Amino acid sequence: MLRGLYLGRFQPYHLGHHEVLKKIATEVSEIIIGIGSAQISHEIENPFTAGERVLMVSRAIEELGIKHYVIPIEDIRRNSLWVSHVMSMVPPFDVAYTNNPLVIELLGEAGVDVRESPLFKRNSYSGTEIRRRMLENDRWEHFVPGKVVEIIQEINGVKRLRKVSQSDDE
Ligand code: NAD
């Protein structure tokens, strides 16, 4: 039995993440999803709280019918200790999935088996692009799973993003 770790900020969780998770589900029997930068929210690049992202990932992954754990992980100010920090927060795992170069480097140095996953429609399935569309009142709903659309509507996420993007400068 293999347990795999998938790490991300998920601001928000989108269909690119979902494709990766589907592929991971064919390779392992349990998935741990680590919600990175858990302490950050209400920022233009990080509008959603850890709890909201837990909800997005948990609801979206339900359809895959795989045993999973969704765990918020706060950042720490020392990259060299970050892998130990992650390991202290999540269940033991056999393999980690990421494309983030810093994460690949840190996990690799710690001797973790790291697998990179293919990027799906990177120009559209991208948190940056989805947040840009939300701000510009463009369609974004088709870039995230239906369950995630429901959560973002429920929490008034687009309104929040627009608010936090404003400045009070004259
Ligand atoms: P992300 O949400 O941007 O991406 C998550 C994963 O999905 C990445 O592997 C990314 O490559 C992949 N992905 C994105 N779009 C995709 C697409 N269209 N198709 C397929 N895959 C796609 O999150 P991230 O930035 O990789 O998250 C890393 C987290 O680790 C951050 O929260 C970061 O702060 C944290 N971190 C913290 C420290 C520290 O605290 N010192 C150190 C390293 C990393």
Side-chain angles (χ1 to χ4, degrees):
M1 193 198 84
L2 283 186
R3 196 176 295 118
L5 171 68
Y6 183 42
L7 280 161
R9 270 166 50 242
F10 308 118
Q11 288 282 9
Y13 182 84
H14 57 61
L15 287 172
H17 300 134
H18 205 52
E19 283 303 316
V20 174
L21 265 194
K22 282 187 198 166
K23 184 169 175 294
I24 296 173
T26 66
E27 296 179 8
V28 300
S29 36
E30 293 190 358
I31 302 181
I32 306 158
I33 298 107
I35 309 279
S37 306
Q39 80 283 10
I40 307 179
S41 70
H42 294 78
E43 290 181 355
I44 187 163
E45 287 178 357
N46 297 284
F48 306 113
T49 65
E52 289 160 353
R53 290 176 278 152
V54 166
L55 208 52
M56 290 177 200
V57 175
S58 307
R59 294 255 176 92
I61 203 177
E62 269 167 19
E63 71 172 44
L64 303 186
I66 185 165
K67 175 94 181 144
H68 59 273
Y69 312 85
V70 187
I71 302 185
I73 302 171
E74 292 192 6
D75 292 332
I76 59 167
R77 295 170 65 90
R78 210 175 270 227
N79 282 337
S80 60
L81 296 183
W82 181 70
V83 175
S84 309
H85 167 64
V86 171
M87 284 178 170
S88 75
M89 297 298 294
V90 304
F93 59 91
D94 306 287
V95 53
Y97 293 84
T98 178
N99 292 313
N100 179 311
L102 173 62
V103 177
I104 293 171
E105 178 60 23
L106 295 177
L107 289 170
E109 284 182 16
V112 172
D113 176 6
V114 183
R115 296 189 195 159
E116 295 182 48
S117 39
L119 289 171
F120 298 94
K121 299 192 188 168
R122 188 53 174 142
N123 292 336
S124 30
Y125 295 168
S126 133
T128 306
E129 173 62 11
I130 292 166
R131 294 189 303 273
R132 185 193 67 75
R133 284 170 169 261
M134 287 173 165
L135 285 172
E136 292 178 11
N137 214 3
D138 211 346
R139 277 189 67 229
W140 54 272
E141 292 87 344
H142 53 306
F143 291 165
V144 305
K147 301 275 183 197
V148 173
V149 176
E150 286 172 18
I151 293 160
I152 291 174
Q153 285 170 347
E154 208 177 290
I155 62 172
N156 252 322
V158 176
K159 181 168 163 265
R160 178 194 298 165
L161 179 61
R162 294 201 182 125
K163 255 306 189 235
V164 299
S165 74
Q166 289 168 4
S167 115
D168 58 3
D169 288 348
E170 289 290 315

